[in-house]
Amino acid sequence: MGGKPFNGEGEKRTKCTEEGKEEERVDWSNLHMNILELIADQLTIDIADYIRFHGVCKTWHASKYHGRTHPPQLPWLLVRCDYDVNRLIFYSFSDERFHSIRPPANDEHIIGSCDGWLVLDHKISRTLSLLNPLTGAHVHLPALPSYLINIEDYYPSILKIAVSSNPSMYDHDCIVVIISTLNDALFSIHLWEDDLWTLLDDRSKYLDATYYKGNLYAVDEFAQVFMFNSFFEKVAIVGPQREINNMLWQFVELSGELIVLRNILIEDPVDHAGENLKIFTTARIDILKLNMKSLVPSLEEAKSIGNHILFLGVNSHSISCPAAQYPRGKHDTIYIHHVYIMNDEEHDVYCRHGIYDLENASFRPSLHNELERMCTGILPMWFTPSLF
């Protein structure tokens, strides 16, 4: 923004002397809001650029984004909350740097993420809400039924959440579906229309739920896959599996197909602070494609995820990305973070991270593999940065 000073609100200048020469400096914090929004609209490649733009000063932070949609972004890992500086700390795989963002109110616990939104659990009002930490958009959901409230601060009230569309778009139908941690049942609400949550099904113990091509899909502890149509009528697609012990079943959309991930766990004792802790870690991950074209739908095992990488979490949706988006990444790899509650008396929460190589069926430590005590009330989770 070259030699001639901007003639407007930004023309406020300060003078300084350096090596006997006098020069003028423009106070960029006083740029007109229209100019700031024009600059923000040009930051269309990496959302991290938009974050840096908003971090310049309060005036720049107040500017709104009206630009084009960003291309798909690599997920960030929400690592912790630094209460000393009142910031959420995210690790970005795009630029391999940490980014800090102001957290929500102290009485709101971050318990999950879904499609660019953080899920907040408000213990006092017994309500849930969705927050986009990049834009500040905040969508409040009706209070949960009292029998679904987990009164213990260290346990969230929901296991997973799925949304049918962007919850911030008031002119679109949006269905929010949750899995309760107390009974593993499915509940739903029609955003902007319903005041009460509706029980969809409590005959199965569900582990994951997602929207795929307009319909709700859910998988239970026996690897039974169900589809719910627009009237929430339940249809069993795939029957139960024989072996279910120590397995997690999760969904991910990969190249337009719905994939079921079978995460086989093994007991992995760890010596931590002189105490022998019994935890579970990944032994093998199987990729199962949901085949809806055959006469009898089935889960078919695949040996590869092609030129993709996956990000698998416990309290967030699993995410797939082309390996080309992450030059340091290797195709056919899955980035995993585990969360464990290891001490039932003190309710200590620990986490570990690693990378699973499908080709070699091996698990190795990642950058954040250290056994870390999470005493901040925030569990690590994947988050897809978005400005919608």
Side-chain angles (χ1 to χ4, degrees), residues 273-287:
E275 183 180 359
N276 188 28
L277 302 173
K278 293 183 179 180
I279 65 175
F280 289 89
T281 190
T282 294
R284 191 178 85 236
I285 297 178
D286 296 328
I287 308 298

Side-chain angles (χ1 to χ4, degrees), residues 212-213 215-217 225-228 235-238 256-258 289-300:
Y212 173 69
K213 294 186 176 180
N215 291 315
L216 174 67
Y217 288 78
V225 179
F226 301 95
M227 183 187 75
F228 295 79
V235 178
I237 299 178
V238 178
E257 295 184 280
L258 188 60
K289 292 185 177 181
L290 181 60
N291 183 1
M292 299 285 291
K293 297 179 181 179
S294 60
L295 185 61
V296 179
S298 61
L299 291 176
E300 300 178 353

Side-chain angles (χ1 to χ4, degrees), residues 4-6 10-14 24-29 31:
K4 195 172 182 179
F6 174 70
E11 69 175 348
K12 180 182 177 182
R13 298 181 294 274
T14 59
E24 292 182 326
R25 290 183 179 179
V26 177
D27 185 356
W28 298 111
S29 65
L31 276 178

Side-chain angles (χ1 to χ4, degrees), residues 150-161:
N150 200 326
I151 60 175
E152 303 290 352
D153 284 340
Y154 38 82
Y155 286 129
S157 297
I158 67 170
L159 173 66
K160 286 290 182 69
I161 188 169

Side-chain angles (χ1 to χ4, degrees), residues 306-342:
N307 293 319
H308 284 78
I309 52 180
L310 300 182
F311 297 85
L312 176 60
V314 176
N315 48 354
S316 53
H317 276 197
S318 298
I319 304 165
S320 68
C321 295
Q325 280 188 247
Y326 185 32
R328 288 178 177 260
K330 178 180 178 293
H331 67 86
D332 267 349
T333 55
I334 302 177
Y335 289 77
I336 308 172
H337 76 78
H338 299 290
V339 175
Y340 312 96
I341 298 176
M342 302 194 188

Side-chain angles (χ1 to χ4, degrees), residues 59-277:
T59 304
W60 289 40
H61 185 273
S63 64
K64 297 180 180 180
Y65 174 79
H66 302 291
R68 300 181 297 275
T69 303
H70 282 76
Q73 303 284 306
L74 282 173
W76 291 1
L77 180 63
L78 174 55
V79 180
R80 66 184 185 278
C81 182
D82 190 334
Y83 287 103
D84 291 336
V85 293
N86 196 30
R87 286 290 188 271
L88 295 175
I89 308 300
F90 293 86
Y91 178 77
S92 168
F93 283 80
S94 297
D95 57 8
E96 298 182 326
R97 295 178 60 182
F98 288 93
H99 299 280
S100 64
I101 300 175
R102 186 177 299 277
N106 291 333
D107 56 355
E108 292 180 312
H109 294 227
I110 301 176
I111 59 173
S113 72
C114 175
D115 299 338
W117 297 84
L118 296 178
V119 185
L120 310 183
D121 190 357
H122 195 295
K123 290 296 182 181
I124 298 177
S125 64
R126 304 186 309 181
T127 60
L128 301 175
S129 62
L130 304 175
L131 172 72
N132 185 328
L134 304 188
T135 65
H138 204 165
V139 178
H140 294 272
L141 305 178
L144 291 172
S146 58
Y147 62 89
L148 292 183
I149 301 297
N150 200 326
I151 60 175
E152 303 290 352
D153 284 340
Y154 38 82
Y155 286 129
S157 297
I158 67 170
L159 173 66
K160 286 290 182 69
I161 188 169
V163 294
S164 63
S165 62
N166 186 350
S168 66
M169 302 293 288
Y170 296 93
D171 56 344
H172 287 67
D173 285 339
C174 180
I175 307 296
V176 180
V177 177
I178 63 171
I179 301 177
S180 167
T181 57
L182 294 183
N183 59 6
D184 302 307
L186 287 174
F187 292 81
S188 72
I189 195 165
H190 197 155
L191 202 58
W192 317 123
E193 293 187 13
D194 297 341
D195 295 324
L196 300 174
W197 292 88
T198 300
L199 173 65
L200 292 184
D201 186 53
D202 60 357
R203 292 168 292 177
S204 299
K205 291 185 177 297
Y206 290 100
L207 297 180
D208 201 4
T210 189
Y211 270 91
Y212 173 69
K213 294 186 176 180
N215 291 315
L216 174 67
Y217 288 78
V219 60
D220 69 6
E221 61 179 344
F222 299 108
Q224 294 184 102
V225 179
F226 301 95
M227 183 187 75
F228 295 79
N229 60 23
S230 58
F231 299 101
F232 289 116
E233 297 169 333
K234 177 182 176 181
V235 178
I237 299 178
V238 178
Q241 306 294 306
R242 293 180 180 179
E243 298 292 334
I244 62 169
N245 292 331
N246 297 338
M247 292 188 186
L248 292 177
W249 303 90
Q250 293 172 272
F251 289 120
V252 67
E253 188 171 344
L254 178 67
S255 299
E257 295 184 280
L258 188 60
I259 304 296
V260 178
L261 302 173
R262 177 168 55 200
N263 190 351
I264 303 174
L265 306 175
I266 59 172
E267 192 172 298
D268 182 21
V270 172
D271 183 16
H272 182 68
E275 183 180 359
N276 188 28
L277 302 173

